[in-house]
Structures are given as structure tokens and as C-alpha cells.
Amino acid sequence: MLSRLVFLSANSLRSSGLIGAGLVQASRSLQTSSQRLAPVPPLPEHGGKVRHGLIPEELFEFLYPKTGVTGPYMLGTGLIVYLLSKELYVINHETIYAICIGTIIVYGVKKYGATVAAFIDSINEEKVAKAQVAKDSHISFLTEAIENEKKEQWRVEGRGMLFDAKRNNVAMLLETNYRERQHMVTNEVKRRLDYQIALQHLNRRLQQEHMINWVEKNVISSITPQQEKESIAKCIADLKVLAKTTQAKAAA
Amino acid sequence: MSGRRAALKAIDWLAFAERVPSNQRVMFNALKTRTDAISAKLASLPETPPAIDWSYYRSAVAKAGLVDEFEKKFKALQIPEPVDTQTSKINAQEVEANKSALDFVEKSKVRVVEYEKELEKFKNMIPFDQMTIEDLNEAFPETKLDKVKYPYWPHKPIANL
């Protein structure tokens, strides 16, 4: 009786993983084949409904059509009265113990039941959350890895561009070289021709200067001292005339 | 043989730059600067050298046949094209690179298949709060407790708790 009390009052706690797992293990052990059949349905969130923490609701539902709402209560009262009056249940000191301890237990469960259940659930929740986090991170890692592999494959497709660039470089270098050669040839030929022209000019100039010098030298050497005296006297006379005219001009 | 001007293939440097992985970026930058220098040098040279004004020289130079001789020889001159030694090497490199690239793509595809298999397995797993310990051991074999090696609870060395 007491053990049944404890067992059924535990139903008022939300079914924690321990007892629920036990139930599922019981039903799982019936699937004895090595291949699993359809996956086991998930655990129910709440236990079966009970009234007054002891009596399942199914009894009330069962008796309602025949006896209405008060039926099960009358049944219970009658049963208790019958047991007491016929002394099928004897009232002794253990009854007092049962009443006291029962009161305390019911009071304790009613007051602290929810918090204890929440605490135990949180312990389990932590474990599950950690596993969930690990699973999620692994999934995201895998998707990223797949992305990266696809990206690397796309990258590899561009390898032709590198070789195109290299070949372009080579072609450009060849072209540059060829043009440089052309330019060099043209420049050299031009230089040679310009050199000839410069040479001619130089010759011309030297000839002219030489001729001028030779003419001058001859003229100077041909001036006899007689002519020189005469020309100097004439210059002096001219200068005197000039001086007079300028003096006259300045005075006037 | 093939004409002097092997047509330069237009390279889209932006698309090229996108495909370069980060660990080869330095090499790519070096290549780009080299290419830019070469193309700048090419652009600075005019395509044909300026023509020589033969009539002016004919009138200016006094020596009789010099200009005519020069002109004849100049017009007959053939400038040899520079020989291309590198293109064959580049083509050989390209063939090798293609081969190793195909290898890499094959291996990469194998890896992708593996990853996808694992991803499927993870996605199709039942959620943790509907699992039992046996389901957990199936999905993650490393959580299975070796009850033969360690027959007493906690079935694993105390240090691993």
C-alpha cells in the first residue's frame, strides 16, 4: 500500500528520464529481433492523470455513465466503511504512523515537488544540450567543409588563366624585342647618313674659313708701306674734318 | 611560320584574382606587376620605326651613290624574328598542371561524398531527448561502455569520468 502510494505520487513529478527510460526499456526489450522495427515513440510528457494523487482518472470515466459524478466517491466511502466496520482493516498504532508520515510526505511533495522535478530535469537538459551543441557544430563543420571543397574545385578551374598570362608575357617580350631591333636598325642607318651630312658641313666650313684667312693675309701683305702712310694721312685728315663738323653741330 | 604578332589573349585580371587562393596571393601579385611592366614597355614602343626621308638625304649628301646604296640595302634588310623558347615549356607545364588538377578534383569529390554521407547521417538522427542509451551507442560508437573490459560500474577508468 505504502509502496504503491510512493510509486503513484511519483507520477505527480514530471516523468524524469530515469523512470521514463525504464518504461521505454521495458517496451524496447519486446523488440527482440536484431533489426530494429519502427522507432519507438517518444516518451509522453506527463504521466497519466490521477485524482487526489492516488486514483486514476480512468475509474471516474468508467463509472460516470452509470453513476454520474459522485459514483466513485460513494464507492470509495462504502469500501472504507466496510473495511473498518468488519475490521478487515484493524486500526492500531501503525495507522497513526501511516497518517502522520502520509501527511508529511503529501505536504512535502505538494510544496517541493515541482522544484525538485525542475532541478532533476535541468541536470538532464544540460547533458542533452551539450550533446546537441556538439552535434550542431559538427553539422555546420561538415557543411562548411563541403562548401570549401566546392570552392576549391571552382578555383582549380581557373588554372588556364595562369598559363594564358604566361604565354601573353612571352609573346609581349618577343614583340618588344622585335620592335627594338627594328628601331635599332633605323637609328643606326640614320646616324650614318647624318654623319655624312655633318662631315660635309664641316668640310664646307673649314674651306670657307681657310679661304677667308688666305684672302685677308694676302690683302694685308699687299699693302706697301707707301700706301700705308698715304692711307693713314688721309684718315687723319678725314678725322679732322669730322671733328670740325661735329663741333660745329654741337655749338649750333 | 605563325605571324609575328601572336594574338594576345585578353585576360580578365579581376576574375583571375577571384580564383587565387589566399596562400598564393603574393605570387599572383608578383605575376601581375611583371605583366604590367612588360605591357607598359611594349606600349611605349611605337609599332614601326619612323620612316627615313630618303629624298632629303639624296639631295643633302654629296657622295654620289651612298644614299642609293644605303636605301637599297635598307629596304632589302630582313630583321630576324626573335626565337620563342619558352612557349613549349609553358605548354608542358600546363599539361602537368591539368593532370594534377584533375587528380585534386577527383580526391576532392571523394571527400565531398564522404562529408555528405556523414551529413546525412547526422541530419537523420533522432533528436537526443527521444534517444535511449542503445540508440546513442549506435549513433556514436565511442560512447559505448565496455562492460567486458571493465565489468564494474562505471565501466570506464575512473580518470575518464
Side-chain angles (χ1 to χ4, degrees):
Chain A
M1 177 82 172
L2 276 171
S3 56
R4 189 158 153 253
L5 229 167
V6 169
F7 178 69
L8 286 176
S9 72
N11 279 338
S12 71
L13 303 172
R14 263 184 284 132
S15 53
S16 67
L18 296 161
I19 299 186
L23 284 174
V24 176
Q25 291 284 15
S27 65
R28 188 66 69 79
S29 60
L30 295 176
Q31 293 185 343
T32 44
S33 60
S34 57
Q35 288 166 327
R36 297 268 180 245
L37 302 173
V40 176
L43 302 172
E45 184 70 20
H46 299 284
K49 278 189 77 56
V50 280
R51 240 193 247 203
H52 307 296
L54 286 178
I55 303 145
E57 191 68 31
E58 277 80 12
L59 181 68
F60 292 81
E61 300 295 321
F62 176 63
L63 291 176
Y64 179 77
K66 290 287 181 177
T67 56
V69 179
T70 50
Y73 293 106
M74 297 312 298
L75 176 66
T77 314
L79 263 174
I80 291 174
V81 167
Y82 168 67
L83 289 173
L84 287 173
S85 71
K86 287 282 203 162
E87 291 254 322
L88 290 170
Y89 175 72
V90 178
I91 294 194
N92 49 14
H93 54 282
E94 291 199 348
T95 313
I96 313 294
Y97 298 161
I99 293 171
C100 298
I101 294 177
T103 314
I104 294 172
I105 289 179
V106 166
Y107 171 75
V109 165
K110 271 209 149 55
K111 188 137 187 237
Y112 301 112
T115 42
V116 169
F119 171 70
I120 297 177
D121 273 346
S122 75
I123 295 180
N124 209 23
E125 282 295 319
E126 262 176 60
K127 291 193 203 154
V128 168
K130 254 197 304 189
Q132 188 69 26
V133 159
K135 178 178 167 188
D136 285 341
S137 70
H138 196 59
I139 286 185
S140 62
F141 164 74
L142 285 174
T143 33
E144 258 188 61
I146 292 181
E147 278 300 311
N148 280 351
E149 290 289 331
K150 295 223 156 75
K151 191 136 194 250
E152 289 301 312
Q153 283 177 12
W154 174 76
R155 283 222 171 111
V156 160
E157 281 170 24
R159 65 190 178 275
M161 287 202 247
L162 170 66
F163 296 104
D164 286 340
K166 281 193 177 183
R167 279 192 282 256
N168 271 6
N169 277 3
V170 166
M172 281 200 282
L173 281 172
L174 292 176
E175 177 71 16
T176 314
N177 196 346
Y178 184 70
R179 284 188 198 175
E180 272 178 8
R181 289 183 187 181
Q182 276 184 322
H183 281 90
M184 195 176 68
V185 163
T186 314
N187 286 349
E188 286 298 307
V189 168
K190 238 201 189 112
R191 264 182 39 185
R192 302 263 184 282
L193 291 170
D194 288 340
Y195 170 74
Q196 292 297 326
I197 293 183
L199 198 63
Q200 277 169 209
H201 285 165
L202 181 69
N203 259 341
R204 213 31 168 349
R205 202 159 53 83
L206 282 177
Q207 285 169 353
Q208 280 176 343
E209 281 186 12
H210 183 258
M211 190 147 50
I212 289 171
N213 283 349
W214 185 79
V215 166
E216 269 190 33
K217 203 165 51 148
N218 270 1
V219 166
I220 288 177
S221 61
S222 74
I223 297 178
T224 58
Q226 173 62 16
Q227 274 184 320
E228 206 168 331
K229 249 191 230 164
E230 274 182 26
S231 57
I232 287 180
K234 183 107 193 322
C235 288
I236 292 175
D238 281 337
L239 276 170
K240 280 190 184 151
V241 170
L242 264 172
K244 277 203 189 113
T245 45
T246 44
Q247 264 186 352
K249 272 209 189 113
Chain B
M1 241 288 297
S2 57
R4 175 164 75 84
R5 202 82 43 75
L8 293 176
K9 207 157 163 198
I11 295 186
D12 184 3
W13 286 99
L14 285 177
F16 193 4
E18 273 178 8
R19 300 216 188 210
V20 169
S22 49
N23 60 350
Q24 294 174 1
R25 193 144 281 279
V26 172
M27 300 199 298
F28 171 73
N29 286 344
L31 174 71
K32 183 141 201 295
T33 39
R34 253 207 326 260
T35 310
D36 287 343
I38 293 176
S39 59
K41 186 127 182 288
L42 181 67
S44 72
L45 287 174
E47 194 173 314
T48 47
I52 301 183
D53 192 355
W54 294 108
S55 49
Y56 164 70
Y57 283 118
R58 216 190 309 272
S59 55
V61 174
K63 264 206 205 140
L66 185 75
V67 173
D68 290 331
E69 214 182 304
F70 271 31
E71 189 177 355
K72 204 164 48 137
K73 289 208 176 125
F74 182 74
K75 288 212 161 65
L77 181 64
Q78 291 280 12
I79 303 179
E81 289 178 20
V83 180
D84 182 359
T85 51
Q86 302 294 329
T87 307
S88 55
K89 286 193 207 154
I90 294 178
N91 287 345
Q93 276 182 357
E94 185 170 11
V95 165
E96 260 189 56
N98 277 350
K99 213 161 46 141
S100 68
L102 284 174
D103 267 347
F104 172 77
V105 167
E106 285 304 311
K107 294 211 185 87
S108 171
K109 287 208 168 101
V110 165
R111 275 197 293 263
V112 166
V113 164
E114 274 180 30
Y115 288 151
E116 288 198 330
K117 216 166 50 170
E118 256 195 79
L119 194 63
E120 278 309 301
K121 169 183 150 204
F122 268 78
K123 282 212 163 103
N124 293 347
M125 244 197 293
I126 51 182
F128 282 116
D129 44 6
Q130 292 177 21
M131 261 193 205
T132 67
I133 298 290
E134 286 165 356
D135 285 339
L136 183 68
N137 292 346
E138 261 185 51
F140 301 102
E142 60 265 17
T143 53
K144 200 161 158 70
L145 293 172
D146 193 351
K147 301 223 169 130
V148 174
K149 190 166 175 209
Y150 304 103
Y152 299 110
W153 186 86
H155 303 293
K156 51 180 161 175
I158 302 267
N160 292 359
L161 264 181

